[in-house]
Amino acid sequence: MTLLWIALLPLLGVLVPVLTARRGRHFCSLATALLPALALLLTLAQLPALNAGEALRFSVDWIPGLGLDLAFRLDGLSLLFNLLIIGIGLLILLYAHYYLSPEEPFGRFYAYLILFMASMVGIVMSDNLLLLWLYWELTSLSSFLLIGFWSYRSDARKGARMALAVTGAGGLALLAGLILLGNMVGSFDMNVVLASGELIVADSLYPVMLILVLLGAFTKSAQFPFHFWLPHAMAAPTPVSAYLHSATMVKAGIFLLARLHPAIAGSELWSVIVPLVGIVTMLYGAWFALIKTDLKSILAFSTVSHLGLITVLLGIGSPMAVLAALFHILNHATFKAALFMSTGIIDHETGTRELGHLGGLRRAMPVTALLTTVAAAAMAGLPLLNGFLSKEMFFTETLVTPVLGGLSWIMPVLATLGGVLSVAYSLRLVYAVFFKPARQAPPKSPHEPPHLMRLPVELLVVLCVLVGIFPAALATGLLGLATQAVLGEALTFYLAVWHGFNLPLAMSFVAIVAGIALYWRHPYLKSFAKSFQPVDARLVFESAMQCLARRAESGLARFDGGSLQRYMGLLLFAALVMGTLGLAGMGALTGSRGNQPLDGVLLLGAGLLIFGGIGTVLTHRHRLISLLMLSVVGLVVALTFARFSAPDLALTQLSVEVVTMILLMLALFFLPQKTASESSPRRNLRDIALAGSLGTVIASLNYAVLTRDNDPISGFFMENSVPGGGGHNVVNVILVDFRGFDTLGEITVLALAGLAIFKLLNRLRLFMPHSDNEGRLWSPDCYPMILTTISQAILPLALLVSAFIFLRGHNMPGGGFIAGLITAVALILVYMARGVEWVQYRLDFPYQPVAIAGVAIATLTGLGSWLFGKPFLTSAFGYFHLPLVGKFELATAMLFDLGVYLAVVGATLMILANLGKVTTAHRPVKQPASSDTERSTKEKR
Amino acid sequence: MEGLYAITTGVLTACGLYLTLRGRTFPVVVGLTLLSYAVNLFLFSMGGLTTDGAAIVDGPASYADPLPQALVLTAIVIGFAMTAFVVILAMRARSEAGNDHVDGREEERQ
């Protein structure tokens, strides 16, 4: 449980700065630091258990179907990283408190920073491959936010985008790799994976998996050739660079290599690819660190170089190499974070980071100068500092490694070369900033920063020195645990400051002397470097991205021309092809059942339908007539349902027909009255052919189905309708009981459509026609007397009918849908007869809540069955006896049906009344003002 | 009878589809409505055509298959909601785009 808290506390901490940002920066910074500090303490509290050799794990099922568990572990490796992440994170928080200018949104910045911290903690503590990946992606996202924090700057936006693109693509590769890995061992559980190294290496897909996982790790840890995003990520505020690019994000890739080391490292492929990529990265980064002139660029490339060094060590993979790698991770994090923060101080106090504008700062900022010099010396690997120790161990390992077979002698040579470059760029950094006389004055006159801003640097530098002098006392315990976690067994080692005169010491000596010499000859080097055309990775990347986007757009334009009319044609054409293919594969069209006899009524009905359909098409330019034709079809369809023994359908169709027609009439008011003839004859012919062929296909299909015997599942419903659902009307029982869940979905759709329409009508700018096409003005008498009178009489009757239909619905044709429609139609009639204002005055409530209440009642009825331990939407019913009324039935299904009823009434009226309201506002009346007053006086009387 | 029914469905489908292929919004909406009639008839007929079937379950009698009925019943109501949505969308499109073409822009006349 403690493990869960360690992982969750920082995540909860994301909310703290957001909530406390208004209380001022001091309070906010303190409050923000609280939860991570607690997590750090909890982590440290686990030390005794870890030292006792306990395996600390925590696991809860999350999505078992995917193999994703909420599983955390805390072993030596997680501990080492947790200390780095949270410890340095807290220092960064202190530093950022002073770094950000007062007008910057510090709350947001802290929130991003803590989010990043939480996701890093999640990565290092994950005990499940998929969970690890989720956190991995979260670091990509949060680092995107952090790098692009100064979003008004173009370089920040581009740098953030590049980092996200590269690490995001790597993340996808990693996901593929991890899924392959999980499939190989049959589990995503970290313990299982780590224990099945031999099985994994023997798998035929091992190379694919390894490359994918390495792609993820290398993109994250900025290994060549994916290093280019890191220098551009320096557009971030310096606290971010110090955090992400010294201790954490770039170490995530390294961490992954270390974590999965037991599972995937035991192969030839690994021990060739990983050290080679590492050594190339190391030299490449070191070279660019030497020739760049921006302080943060120098540090960025030196980070690339050091990450390469660690990768080499992990690639070599012997126990001592792993130890050296972990030690260097620790050391690099301390001195690089210190250096980044000093750079930030210099930038903050002088206003520039360009080496050319800096110089002689030793006098103005003596303490910062001392701190930076010591940290840079640690980076260069000078004796008595922590960088020296791990670098010596690195040299030792390159001497004994057999990774390149007969060419292995080249490794120590390259390593020494890396050492030379590293000494040279560290020297240059320090000398040019603090000791060389300034060529020009910096933009601001420099002075020492506030003491507390320097405090994190001081702490880290002291750590560099102490670890450099007393390595055995300070680092042995931590590294021992971490190494044990990676190797699976305890390693006995002794970290000594002095190993005697040996080859690694000679290599260090060579590196230092040659590095100083190299810097001495720096001007020559600079002119040599200038003879190459500089390549700006950002330009290359941006143009590649833009090219990709253009290609994608032009490719898409081939399919997506923006014409719905064309899509419709293509869609129908595809349907035609598929339908024809299906029909062509069938034997005889007429099935075994044959035709039932025809009669005159049927012929008349079919004739009317066909007449209406074709009439609608022929008159479609005259929209009103076309609508009338359409209504013929709708009414005959209702009759058809009645003819074929479906009374419920007939009732529904009839009432829907009424509301549909009213709706279309209302809409027609705002749309052109006529359709211009604009399709070319060719297009018309094509459309007729397409529609005609599809009609033929549908007719054939329908005929084929109708003449065949079918074996419906309806028998079940009919048998169980009375005993199981308590209703004699099977259709209604299906709707409210057997398939109640479908109905719930449907009324939800209905309510949503109503709400969507309500929103669409909101602030609609309408064309206001004053007359029809022939120039005749609209009739000014709004509310005809006869209609008004009749509607008033009809309303109570219609409501009564609707109540009757609703109540009998379970046992006779009827039900919530039909009753709802009837109520809606009755109210609409009043609207039409009296106008919106009149009704609104009397029915003063919006319809949205009615529809929502309907859906809510239906849902609650369904939920109610949970109270009795039954599945969702189980219905119950019983028969009761009342004097006078007699035996009657009550069923929960009726409550559900009430929900349906309300949803239908609410949605229908929401649609029509709102549309009507829009109409009324624009209706041209002869003298609007006078008629209004007339009406109101009438009402008063 | 089945043949006639099928032909009617086919004709309605063809008419609806032709209208949905038009360029202006209103015919398209009318076409969709027509098409939904055809689709409802088609779905309804999946249970077979029963003449003089009983309306409710009460003793041994022939019933029309209730399942397609239940499906079509909700389809009719939802069809109305969708028609309404499309029609309002058409109005809104006309007010935003300034014309009532389905593509939101007038066709170039050749």
Side-chain angles (χ1 to χ4, degrees), chain B residues 3-17:
Chain B
L4 188 65
Y5 190 95
I7 289 170
T8 315
T9 320
V11 170
L12 289 183
T13 311
C15 293
L17 289 179

Side-chain angles (χ1 to χ4, degrees), chain A residues 184 200-215 218 257 264-278 311-312 314-316 403-404:
Chain A
M184 282 177 197
I200 294 166
V201 174
D203 199 288
S204 61
L205 281 173
Y206 171 77
V208 184
M209 183 277 297
L210 183 67
I211 299 292
L212 287 169
V213 171
L214 288 182
L215 271 177
F218 288 171
L257 296 184
I264 64 174
S267 71
E268 283 283 308
L269 197 60
W270 166 283
S271 53
V272 172
I273 294 181
V274 180
L276 273 184
V277 168
T311 309
V312 174
L314 285 172
I316 293 172
V403 283
L404 295 181

Side-chain angles (χ1 to χ4, degrees), chain A residues 561 563-565 595-596 598 602 606 609 613-614 616-617 620 623 630 633-634 643-646 649 652-653 656-657 660 663-664 667-668 670-672 675 678-679 683-684 687-688 691 694-695 698-699 702-703 706 710 712-714 717-718 728 730-731 734-735 746 750 756-757 760 762 764-765 767 811 817 911 915, chain B residues 1-6 8-15 17-24 26-27 29-30 33-34 37 41-42 44-46 48-53 55-57 63-67 69-70 72-74 76-78 80-82 84-85 87-89 91-92 94-95 100-103 105 107 109:
Chain A
S563 164
L564 292 178
Q565 213 180 347
N595 272 296
Q596 298 175 43
L598 271 174
L602 282 175
L609 277 180
I614 293 179
T616 313
V617 170
H620 82 269
R623 295 182 170 182
L630 184 68
V633 181
R643 167 67 179 75
F644 292 113
S645 322
L649 283 191
T652 316
Q653 174 67 41
V656 163
E657 188 54 31
T660 308
L663 170 82
L664 290 178
L668 197 52
F670 294 108
L671 292 168
T675 311
E678 58 183 5
S679 300
R683 174 165 227 158
N684 263 329
D687 290 350
I688 290 172
L694 259 171
I698 295 293
N702 200 358
Y703 183 70
L706 278 175
N710 52 7
I713 56 171
S714 311
F717 297 125
M718 289 196 274
H728 290 271
V730 191
V731 177
I734 290 177
L735 283 176
E746 276 144 2
L750 199 63
I757 286 169
L760 272 179
N762 196 12
L764 177 64
R765 289 179 296 113
F767 296 84
N811 287 314
F817 273 111
I911 295 167
L915 185 55
Chain B
M1 188 162 91
E2 274 78 3
L4 188 65
Y5 190 95
T8 315
T9 320
V11 170
L12 289 183
T13 311
C15 293
L17 289 179
Y18 176 78
L19 285 179
T20 54
L21 284 168
R22 298 302 87 210
R24 299 290 161 172
F26 197 75
V29 174
V30 171
T33 314
L34 205 51
Y37 291 149
L41 283 176
F42 181 86
F44 171 63
S45 72
M46 289 300 108
L49 301 175
T50 314
T51 307
D52 294 334
I56 57 170
V57 186
Y63 309 101
D65 191 341
L67 189 60
Q69 290 189 48
V72 171
L73 199 151
T74 48
I76 293 172
V77 180
I78 294 226
F80 162 68
M82 286 302 119
F85 186 73
V87 128
I88 309 290
L89 205 58
M91 283 167 53
R92 183 89 200 198
R94 192 191 180 206
S95 113
D100 70 332
H101 199 279
V102 286
D103 296 343
R105 51 172 189 256
E107 238 163 317
R109 309 258 169 147

Side-chain angles (χ1 to χ4, degrees), chain A residues 81-100:
Chain A
F81 272 92
N82 255 2
L83 294 184
L84 281 180
I85 293 161
I86 308 180
I88 296 192
L90 288 172
L91 294 181
I92 295 286
L93 204 62
L94 174 61
Y95 177 76
H97 177 82
Y98 292 96
Y99 181 87
L100 290 181

